[in-house]
Amino acid sequence: QVQLVEAGGGLVQAGGSLRLSCAASGRTFSSYFMGWFRQAPGKKREFVAGITLSGGNIRYADSVKGRFTISTDNAKKTVYLQMNSLKPEDTAVYYCAAGEFVTTMREAFRYWGQGTQVTVSS
């Protein structure tokens, strides 16, 4: 069992930055692929970024490549999403997720956090 708690969302102007964190608990944390997803009003939840806890396998959605960076601190059991050059279209609820497979498919992630709101004003 893995519990995930996100933090770091908020309101920022376009061009600004935010860093989200996802604190995990559970003895098997090290075996999971950790992902960030987001869901805007009226839209499907979409993959943003993912990372194996060894750091050897990292994936990004095309829409965030070059602007967002995912990283981990295994000692703290925490995954981060550094978001730079934010755009109004990045506005969404951001969710942390954990799964057993390296994938961008939402259905493959077993554990989810409660989400944190990110709002980017123009």
Side-chain angles (χ1 to χ4, degrees), residues 11-34:
L11 174 64
V12 64
Q13 289 187 333
S17 299
L18 282 175
R19 189 176 79 156
L20 305 183
S21 63
C22 172
S25 60
R27 290 181 297 175
T28 57
F29 173 75
S30 61
S31 66
Y32 286 96
F33 182 66
M34 303 299 296

Side-chain angles (χ1 to χ4, degrees), residues 31-107:
S31 66
Y32 286 96
F33 182 66
M34 303 299 296
W36 285 98
F37 287 75
R38 66 187 181 186
Q39 188 167 17
K43 295 188 176 181
K44 294 181 179 179
R45 192 171 299 187
E46 64 176 2
F47 176 82
V48 174
I51 187 169
T52 52
L53 294 174
S54 65
N57 198 327
I58 297 175
R59 305 281 179 89
Y60 293 103
D62 288 342
S63 59
V64 306
K65 281 181 181 176
R67 300 189 298 122
F68 291 10
T69 302
I70 189 170
S71 62
T72 67
D73 183 334
N74 290 351
K76 296 182 179 179
K77 293 186 176 182
T78 300
V79 179
Y80 301 97
L81 185 67
Q82 178 67 44
M83 306 185 294
N84 298 329
S85 302
L86 283 161
K87 304 176 182 179
E89 51 264 44
D90 294 318
T91 295
V93 177
Y94 283 70
Y95 297 90
C96 178
E100 298 175 346
F101 307 102
V102 177
T103 179
T104 63
M105 295 177 60
R106 176 177 57 85
E107 295 79 6

